Amino acid sequence: MSEDAKETVGFIGLGNMGGPVARLIQKAGFPMVVYDLRREAMDPFVGHGAHAAGSPAEVARTADVTFTAVPMPRDVEAVAVGPQGILEGIRENGIYVDISTSSPTLLQRLEPRFREKGAWVLDAPVGAGQPPMADPGIHEVMVGGPYAIFERVKPVFAAYGDQIIYAGELGSGAVCKLVHQMVGFCVTQAIAEGLTLGAKAGVAPVIVWEAIRRGLVGRMHFLHDSVPRTVFTGSYEPNSFPLTLLRKDIGLATQLGRDVGVPLPVANLVEQIAVAGINRGLGGGAGYTATFQLQEEAAGTSLRVDGVDPDRAARYIGTYPDVELSGNGELVGPVLPAGKGGA
């Protein structure tokens, strides 16, 4: 797609998420046709040259690439294949892209109906972009679907994506987004437990917060360094902190919770996982990665990955949070080679 011949972008759903994304697409110079149940949501786009459509089908008839950003999976299905839906209007070689957070199986189930018309489908859910975010429309974009179609739409993704990840076949983007949300909420709960435990044990919350964020946990050492260096390679040694000692520390923390009356549901569950690891014979192994071994066995899958540079991945870790506002140091080039998740 050349700069002087941009494809027409259709956008359905101009709410809290879709609106800022669509605005950045329009700002990048793409001709647009928009649709929302609320006329007032379309007015700012029309004021800058977009065409207001009367239905999702009209959007798809007019656009080369049609985006949806709607709240629930049932809304995605209704807009995609319901009466006056995208399927009704989409042209041959047209592309339908859903950026909502939805089930990975939904678009997989609907895709054959689009292929019958010679059209294509991508799932491309979004997550908040890297801080500091200058614009609420800037996002991480996780894309699933045929790679050639991803490449065709990539200039549009670049209008609002500060990180664009090609995840694999259709539905892979949704899997990545759901995992991201699950991990994020679990981490948030663990932080909430830690802060309330520290506060009720008599330490100022701001001090507990500083202790967490300035250590290995706050810099996400386990995610950015330990995973590529040990989990992806299957090399769980050298061991600098055995599971037996980590289980002891977690046990002391959960006992403190009982002493001061703080419920710690995640911490107590993790303590039991540590006990299971010790009973499994992993007590002398690396404490912070033993849980990956247990989870691989329980899930019946492997986390071995080739081609990830652990030193480059670790550059996301910020040692001085007051100076490195983004916390990502200098990430030079992609961590993954092209075709393995890098874009």
Side-chain angles (χ1 to χ4, degrees):
M1 180 177 10
S2 65
E3 285 298 314
D4 57 353
K6 292 178 181 289
E7 294 194 277
T8 298
V9 175
F11 210 101
I12 300 165
L14 302 169
N16 292 335
M17 180 185 72
V21 170
R23 180 176 53 76
L24 288 178
I25 293 173
Q26 187 174 52
K27 185 178 179 181
F30 289 93
M32 292 195 73
V33 52
V34 296
Y35 175 77
D36 194 279
L37 294 174
R38 301 163 298 128
R39 174 71 202 200
E40 63 271 19
M42 296 189 283
D43 287 342
F45 296 92
V46 174
H48 287 88
H51 169 69
S55 68
E58 184 182 345
V59 173
R61 273 192 292 269
T62 308
D64 300 299
V65 183
T66 299
F67 283 74
T68 54
V70 294
M72 303 295 290
R74 63 176 178 269
D75 301 315
V76 174
E77 184 162 10
V79 170
V81 299
Q84 286 292 298
I86 294 168
L87 181 65
E88 184 175 317
I90 200 163
R91 308 191 304 254
E92 184 175 2
N93 211 34
I95 302 172
Y96 167 41
V97 182
D98 179 45
I99 72 169
S100 315
T101 300
S102 190
S103 164
T105 59
L106 175 58
L107 290 185
Q108 291 171 345
R109 177 166 54 84
L110 301 181
E111 183 202 26
R113 299 171 68 177
F114 284 85
R115 293 300 301 128
E116 287 175 1
K117 297 192 68 173
W120 305 91
V121 179
L122 297 177
D123 67 302
V126 297
Q130 280 277 0
M133 284 192 299
D135 192 298
I138 296 174
H139 288 85
E140 174 191 12
V141 185
M142 298 155 274
V143 187
Y147 188 78
I149 306 305
F150 160 73
E151 283 289 314
R152 181 177 154 192
V153 184
K154 191 174 176 182
V156 186
F157 293 143
Y160 64 91
D162 69 342
Q163 297 173 93
I164 303 169
I165 298 171
Y166 177 68
E169 63 185 21
L170 184 66
S172 300
V175 170
C176 289
K177 177 62 184 289
L178 296 180
V179 169
H180 182 279
Q181 297 299 85
M182 178 194 74
V183 171
F185 194 69
C186 290
V187 169
T188 300
Q189 174 62 25
I191 293 171
E193 291 180 18
L195 291 177
T196 53
L197 176 61
K200 199 160 185 185
V203 182
V206 69
I207 299 300
V208 180
W209 171 68
E210 287 285 9
I212 295 170
R213 80 184 190 113
R214 292 180 181 272
L216 293 180
V217 173
R219 291 184 279 129
M220 294 300 286
H221 173 87
F222 314 114
L223 177 64
H224 298 307
D225 189 274
S226 296
V227 168
R229 200 174 300 279
T230 64
V231 178
F232 285 167
T233 63
S235 304
Y236 292 99
E237 303 297 337
N239 167 29
S240 58
F241 192 67
L243 180 59
T244 51
L245 289 182
L246 184 58
R247 182 259 179 267
K248 179 264 295 180
D249 291 353
I250 297 171
L252 291 172
T254 54
Q255 181 59 54
L256 179 61
R258 290 187 286 274
D259 292 343
V260 299
V262 175
L264 303 171
V266 168
N268 278 283
L269 175 60
V270 169
E271 182 182 6
Q272 295 309 306
I273 293 172
V275 170
I278 292 171
N279 292 339
R280 165 70 174 72
L282 301 177
Y288 286 109
T289 51
T291 187
F292 291 95
Q293 294 174 272
L294 291 172
Q295 185 64 20
E296 283 180 293
E297 291 178 3
T301 191
S302 171
L303 297 176
R304 303 295 86 75
V305 177
D306 295 325
V308 178
D309 182 346
D311 292 324
R312 179 167 288 175
R315 293 180 188 176
Y316 269 92
I317 300 173
T319 304
Y320 304 102
D322 292 335
V323 176
E324 296 176 3
L325 294 178
S326 69
N328 66 355
E330 289 185 74
L331 182 63
V332 182
V335 173
L336 285 177
K340 294 187 178 181

